[in-house]
Amino acid sequence: MTADLSDPIFYDENAARMALEAIRWPSGPVCAHCGATGKIGAVQGKSHRPGLFYCGDCKGQFTVTVGSVFERSKIPLTKWLLAVHLMAASKKGISSHQLHRMLGITYKTAWFMSHRIREAMTSGGLGPLGGPGVIVEADETEIVPSTKTRTAGGRKRSENKRFVALVERGGAVRSKVIDERGMSQVRAAVRENLAPGTILHTDGANAYKALMPLGQHEVVNHNKTFARDSNNGRVYTNTAEGYFSLFKRGLVGTYQHIDERHLPRYLAEFDFRMNHRAKLGVNDKQRAERILKGAEGKRLTYQQTDRAA
Ligand SMILES: [Zn+2]
């Protein structure tokens, strides 16, 4: 982990605010209400907190957190930025318990914070993976809920959860929670996420059969070998399997008892780090900045249990 904890943005509220302003508004403040940029001024005076802006177009006031997952939070921005940096830099994620201890906030607050940060990591509207001649690996995996999770809250026994992941060789990942026997969902994920001409590498799972045109699907039979050569490159699914193994170790080691309703958001967190991994030239600081940028235009409608206690 290389977050430089001596950076003023982690202890000086003004430095934290200005850092967030620079990331969110690289060419100057943008009105959070009407999107105008022309007639914006800082609201001066002792009765106002620093960082309050006034828009001459819509007469509204706003700060850098309005219209983001940080809006209406009572937690200091310094703690938000520290939590974001920790989540950006921890390969297997960081538990709410650890955030609670490191940031000196309640467990409940840490839990809400980490879910808001996960929301900032979700990436809608990304383009398809692959393209002509580009290899994408597909794989599925299953997690079995712990006995504790199965009976939590007196709810009925949870089913095992299945996931499908598509990983472009040397590129991005898209993963998804699917039903236990969701062959059609696997096929839908492939159809929705692959650009035409992509070469799909999979193990022998039936879901992929007859899905790709001839010559665009290579299978590695795991009963015999873990990789083989073909005219379409070396066939293996190790990247996708490695991704799942990281996700599972994160779930087991860091998030022991997560509620299955939140699984898609945890998956989005792991997708985000994979899509901005060091191998693709993104360092910890840049990854954190992309989360902060992604916090924009997103809201979570949790109740106001968000206290800096
Ligand atoms: Zn405005």
Side-chain angles (χ1 to χ4, degrees):
M1 199 175 303
T2 61
D4 175 10
L5 300 183
S6 66
D7 192 318
I9 65 170
F10 299 129
Y11 59 81
D12 176 339
E13 197 60 14
N14 273 321
R17 174 181 51 78
M18 287 190 287
L20 187 57
E21 288 173 359
I23 290 165
R24 196 170 168 194
W25 301 324
S27 345
V30 180
C31 176
H33 308 293
C34 73
T37 54
K39 296 180 236 165
I40 295 190
V43 177
Q44 308 284 352
K46 277 188 182 155
S47 58
H48 298 291
R49 53 208 159 116
L52 187 64
F53 292 91
Y54 173 79
C55 172
D57 277 296
C58 72
K59 319 291 181 204
Q61 292 188 341
F62 61 93
T63 67
V64 70
T65 61
V66 173
S68 78
V69 297
F70 310 125
E71 185 170 357
R72 275 199 276 272
S73 167
K74 298 188 174 61
I75 301 155
L77 268 180
T78 48
K79 294 192 189 230
W80 275 114
L81 294 197
L82 187 51
V84 165
H85 276 77
L86 291 169
M87 283 179 77
S90 315
K91 275 193 172 175
K92 287 186 283 174
I94 184 160
S95 71
S96 299
H97 275 293
Q98 202 174 342
L99 280 181
H100 142 67
R101 288 190 299 267
M102 290 181 82
L103 272 61
I105 54 180
T106 65
Y107 170 75
K108 204 169 181 183
T109 298
W111 190 90
F112 278 101
M113 279 181 96
S114 53
H115 271 292
R116 288 186 188 203
I117 292 168
R118 269 177 212 113
E119 186 64 23
M121 289 167 143
T122 59
S123 49
L126 287 174
L129 298 175
V134 179
I135 296 169
V136 170
E137 298 174 27
D139 197 26
E140 298 144 67
T141 195
E142 189 169 84
I143 56 166
V144 182
S146 72
T147 31
K148 195 163 177 177
T149 315
R150 283 178 190 202
T151 54
R155 270 178 287 120
K156 78 175 171 88
R157 202 180 149 92
S158 304
E159 290 195 332
N160 295 354
K161 287 289 158 191
R162 285 190 71 78
F163 304 90
V164 58
L166 301 162
V167 190
E168 188 175 302
R169 200 74 59 82
V173 63
R174 308 270 186 276
S175 67
K176 206 176 170 185
V177 185
I178 55 176
D179 293 340
E180 203 166 354
R181 273 174 285 278
M183 285 304 190
S184 62
Q185 289 173 299
V186 173
R187 285 193 284 266
V190 169
R191 272 194 299 268
E192 284 161 20
N193 288 292
L194 292 197
T198 302
I199 298 159
L200 187 67
H201 285 189
T202 69
D203 63 13
N206 283 324
Y208 307 102
K209 278 183 187 157
L211 187 64
M212 309 290 285
L214 207 61
Q216 290 186 6
H217 183 203
E218 296 285 351
V219 177
V220 58
N221 184 344
H222 281 172
N223 293 332
K224 291 180 184 157
T225 176
F226 286 94
R228 64 174 179 82
D229 288 311
S230 80
N231 293 333
N232 288 323
R234 192 149 174 81
V235 184
Y236 57 86
T237 55
N238 303 11
T239 324
E241 286 159 32
Y243 174 68
F244 279 138
S245 118
L246 192 66
F247 181 59
K248 283 179 167 179
R249 276 184 286 145
L251 286 192
V252 172
T254 311
Y255 308 113
Q256 280 106 339
H257 306 299
I258 70 169
D259 187 321
E260 63 181 67
R261 288 171 297 180
H262 299 299
L263 270 176
R265 199 173 277 134
Y266 286 95
L267 210 50
E269 175 190 344
F270 279 78
D271 275 14
F272 178 90
R273 275 193 298 263
M274 180 81 171
N275 289 337
H276 301 88
R277 63 191 184 271
K279 263 189 190 166
L280 300 180
V282 184
N283 66 31
D284 288 351
K285 188 165 187 275
Q286 292 165 327
R287 198 174 307 116
E289 285 174 4
R290 289 183 198 186
I291 297 172
L292 293 169
K293 187 85 188 140
E296 195 174 307
K298 289 173 186 151
R299 300 278 296 279
L300 268 192
T301 50
Y302 288 134
Q303 287 153 1
Q304 292 300 302
T305 48
D306 166 342
R307 297 269 183 279

